[in-house]
């Protein structure tokens, strides 16, 4: 009986030791988790975004989208009034008007005038905060003007990211649909053909098309010359070439009534045929340029197109480079204009926000005008495209710096 009791006691003792070991492991695990959570707390948004920050961010973002909704609604009303006769004349269906035109009209113009909406939003609600003596209370409580700018800058990060994503990836596809609608129902004719097109499609490879029809994706009077060490080694001609629009890869062309002359020293080898599928390093977008075509490319497509055209030695890439850099530069405009807006409207003055709204409208339209003028400088005056795209930001950044230095502290 004592033996059975000893065995039972030993089992209980072993179980207690096992529990103690488990408890020590659990304590170690709890300490490790606590350490990791303490590290994660450093990255937690609540550490940097306080109640005051959320208050200003909600005011900023809410007023921004309210300004967009208000002004774009007015723009749509005026646009309908202007184009209603054309829609009726060309029998535009209601579904196409709504989903092909206005659904793509709204993000395009909202993003185009985003600096205006940012400035109006900042001036509007910051002037209201100043008029209610809320900013005075914040500064009196020991909050510096620099600390007050934090929620504004956080809001600008969100707006800038949204603006860049729209301009780089979403709006270009919508612009294609909108332009097709305008060509069908607003009689805005697009350039759909080109004559006497010559371009370098590869190293030492020159293509020539007498006439190209972009609607049919077909060229007439085609020739392709290959050079090695500045000597002609091959000359291909075709009555017609047709671009393969359903191919899984690019650069597929079909030549009709073709002939190839290969020069081998003093001898010449000629081959011909009725039809031939071939790879030629060119696309329809390389042959026909229409106004605003650069706006129909996403940013990765723009970058690829610019690189390809530069390799070909083409000089008609400036407007594409300006568009590429302008999308990046425009996304930073919200930071600059917000700094100016807060610096101007955070001071409580008599007369309300009317003067500030006037200044905001003037500065915003000046910024948009500078964007257009600087683009013209790049195209007509050989200004570097990246500098032309950033000229408005550079000028307004200087203005923002002086406004910030003069702001109340």
């Amino acid at each position: 009986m004592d033996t059975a009791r000893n065995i039972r006691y030993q089992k209980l003792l072993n179980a207690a030791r096992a529990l103690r070991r488990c408890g020590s492991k659990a304590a170690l695990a709890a300490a490790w988790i606590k350490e990791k959570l303490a590290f994660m707390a450093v990255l937690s948004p609540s550490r940097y975004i306080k109640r005051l920050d959320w208050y200003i961010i909600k005011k900023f973002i809410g007023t921004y989208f309210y300004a967009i909704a208000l002004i774009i609604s007015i723009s749509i009303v005026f646009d309908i009034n202007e184009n209603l006769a054309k829609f009726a004349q060309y029998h535009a269906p209601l579904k196409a008007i709504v989903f092909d035109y206005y659904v793509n009209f709204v993000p395009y113009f909202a993003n185009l005038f985003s600096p205006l909406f940012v400035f109006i939003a900042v001036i509007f609600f910051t002037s209201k905060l100043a008029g209610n003596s809320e900013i005075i209370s914040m500064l009196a409580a020991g909050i510096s003007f620099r600390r007050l700018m934090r929620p504004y800058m956080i809001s600008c990060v969100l707006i800038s990211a949204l603006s860049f994503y729209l301009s780089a990836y979403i709006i270009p596809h919508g612009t294609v649909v909108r332009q097709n609608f305008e060509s069908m129902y607003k009689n805005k004719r697009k350039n759909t053909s080109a004559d006497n097109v010559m371009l370098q499609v590869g190293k030492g490879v020159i293509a020539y098309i007498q006439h190209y029809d972009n609607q049919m994706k077909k060229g007439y009077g085609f020739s392709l010359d290959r050079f090695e060490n500045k000597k002609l080694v091959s000359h291909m001609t075709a009555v017609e070439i047709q671009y393969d629009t359903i191919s899984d890869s690019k650069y597929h062309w079909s030549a009709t009534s073709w002939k190839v002359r290969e020069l081998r020293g003093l001898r010449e080898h000629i081959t011909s045929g009725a039809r031939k599928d071939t790879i030629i390093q060119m696309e329809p977008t390389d042959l026909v340029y229409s106004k605003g075509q650069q706006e129909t490319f996403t940013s990765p497509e723009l970058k690829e197109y610019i690189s390809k055209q530069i390799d070909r030695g083409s000089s008609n890439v400036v407007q594409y480079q300006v568009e590429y850099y302008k999308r990046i530069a425009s996304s930073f405009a919200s930071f600059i204009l917000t700094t100016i807006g807060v610096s101007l409207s955070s001071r409580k003055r008599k007369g309300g926000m009317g003067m500030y709204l006037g200044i905001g409208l003037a500065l915003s339209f000046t910024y948009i005008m500078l964007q257009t003028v600087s683009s013209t400088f790049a195209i007509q005056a050989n200004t570097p495209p990246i500098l032309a795209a950033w000229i408005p930001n550079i000028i307004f950044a200087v203005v923002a710096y002086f406004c910030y230095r003069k702001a109340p502290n």
Side-chain angles (χ1 to χ4, degrees):
M1 188 171 178
D2 291 338
T3 304
R5 186 180 300 168
N6 289 336
I7 293 174
R8 196 180 308 113
Y9 175 77
Q10 190 65 35
K11 287 182 179 179
L12 291 174
L13 184 61
N14 292 337
R17 290 173 179 173
L19 287 173
R20 192 180 300 119
R21 285 196 297 270
C22 291
S24 60
K25 290 180 179 179
L28 289 174
W32 182 83
I33 293 172
K34 185 178 180 180
E35 181 182 355
K36 293 300 179 182
L37 289 176
F39 174 75
M40 293 297 294
V42 177
L43 304 177
S44 175
S46 61
R47 182 183 177 91
Y48 305 99
I49 305 178
K50 306 300 182 182
R51 182 175 299 179
L52 174 63
D53 299 320
W54 282 118
Y55 176 72
I56 294 178
I57 289 171
K58 290 176 182 179
K59 288 281 187 180
F60 191 170
I61 301 296
T63 309
Y64 172 75
F65 284 108
Y66 177 77
I68 290 177
L70 182 64
I71 297 177
I72 291 297
S73 299
I74 297 172
S75 302
I76 290 175
V77 171
F78 279 102
D79 190 81
I80 292 174
N81 184 59
E82 181 182 353
N83 295 308
L84 189 59
K86 289 185 179 180
F87 292 159
Q89 179 183 354
Y90 292 100
H91 306 288
L94 180 61
K95 182 179 179 180
I97 293 173
V98 174
F99 293 101
D100 292 348
Y101 184 66
Y102 283 110
V103 166
N104 297 303
F105 172 94
V106 170
Y108 176 80
F109 283 97
N111 196 63
L112 178 65
F113 294 104
S114 181
L116 171 65
F117 301 137
V118 168
F119 211 107
I120 289 176
V122 171
I123 292 289
F124 184 82
F125 86 87
T126 306
S127 298
K128 194 171 181 180
L129 291 179
N132 295 334
S133 300
E134 293 181 68
I135 291 183
I136 295 175
S137 302
M138 297 174 193
L139 298 176
I143 297 176
S144 65
F145 189 75
R146 180 179 178 181
R147 172 63 181 84
L148 182 64
M149 290 292 295
R150 182 192 292 179
Y152 288 93
M153 294 298 104
I154 294 173
S155 302
C156 288
V157 170
L158 301 176
I159 293 173
S160 297
L162 176 63
S163 176
F164 177 76
Y165 181 73
L166 287 174
S167 62
Y169 298 99
I170 303 300
I171 292 177
H173 296 299
T175 301
V176 175
V177 177
R178 182 171 55 84
Q179 288 181 352
N180 291 336
F181 176 90
E182 290 176 345
S183 65
M184 291 178 62
Y185 301 112
K186 293 181 66 177
N187 201 25
K188 286 192 175 182
R189 299 195 177 276
K190 296 172 63 177
N191 187 16
T192 59
S193 64
D195 295 313
N196 299 320
V197 180
M198 180 180 289
L199 70 157
Q200 180 176 318
V201 297
K203 187 176 181 181
V205 183
I206 307 297
Y208 171 79
I209 300 178
Q210 185 176 4
H211 177 76
Y212 177 76
D213 185 351
N214 194 47
Q215 289 184 329
M216 301 293 295
K217 300 292 187 290
K218 182 181 291 187
Y220 304 90
F222 173 76
S223 67
L224 187 70
D225 296 327
R226 299 181 184 273
F227 294 87
E228 291 182 3
N229 298 324
K230 299 182 180 180
K231 292 183 179 180
L232 182 66
V233 296
S234 175
H235 176 70
M236 174 184 175
T237 59
V239 175
E240 296 178 358
I241 58 167
Q242 176 71 52
Y243 185 69
D244 189 352
T245 57
I246 62 174
S247 175
D248 294 334
S249 57
K250 300 178 181 178
Y251 311 130
H252 282 259
W253 294 84
S254 179
T256 304
S257 299
W258 60 274
K259 180 188 291 186
V260 176
R261 297 170 58 193
E262 296 182 0
L263 304 178
R264 302 173 181 175
L266 299 177
R267 295 185 178 182
E268 184 178 50
H269 180 70
I270 300 176
T271 56
S272 60
R275 184 181 177 86
K276 179 181 181 180
D277 293 328
T278 183
I279 301 293
I280 305 173
Q281 299 291 320
M282 64 180 185
E283 296 180 88
T285 53
D286 302 328
L287 305 174
V288 177
Y289 172 76
S290 57
K291 185 178 180 181
Q293 181 177 341
Q294 66 273 15
E295 297 177 357
T296 63
F297 291 133
T298 63
S299 288
E301 291 171 346
L302 262 179
K303 188 176 182 180
E304 180 184 357
Y305 182 85
I306 292 168
S307 177
K308 184 172 61 177
Q309 293 300 100
I310 290 175
D311 292 339
R312 291 174 175 173
S314 175
S315 59
N316 189 30
V317 295
V318 177
Q319 58 266 39
Y320 295 90
Q321 291 175 317
V322 171
E323 176 67 21
Y324 179 78
Y325 292 120
K326 188 171 72 174
R327 292 177 182 179
I328 301 173
S330 297
S331 62
F332 284 90
S334 58
F335 293 96
I336 299 171
L337 296 177
T338 296
T339 302
I340 298 174
V342 176
S343 301
L344 290 176
S345 59
S346 59
R347 195 185 295 266
K348 185 175 182 180
R349 290 192 177 121
K350 294 181 180 180
M353 67 181 71
M355 182 182 69
Y356 298 123
L357 286 175
I359 295 174
L361 289 171
L363 287 174
S364 301
F365 281 117
T366 302
Y367 180 86
I368 295 169
M369 184 190 69
L370 275 176
Q371 281 187 320
T372 305
V373 172
S374 61
S375 300
T376 305
F377 285 159
I379 297 171
Q380 302 296 335
N382 296 324
T383 304
I386 187 171
L387 177 61
W390 280 88
I391 281 176
N393 283 0
I394 294 172
I395 294 174
F396 274 76
V398 175
V399 176
Y401 174 76
F402 284 104
C403 290
Y404 180 78
R405 291 298 298 266
K406 295 288 184 180
N409 47 41

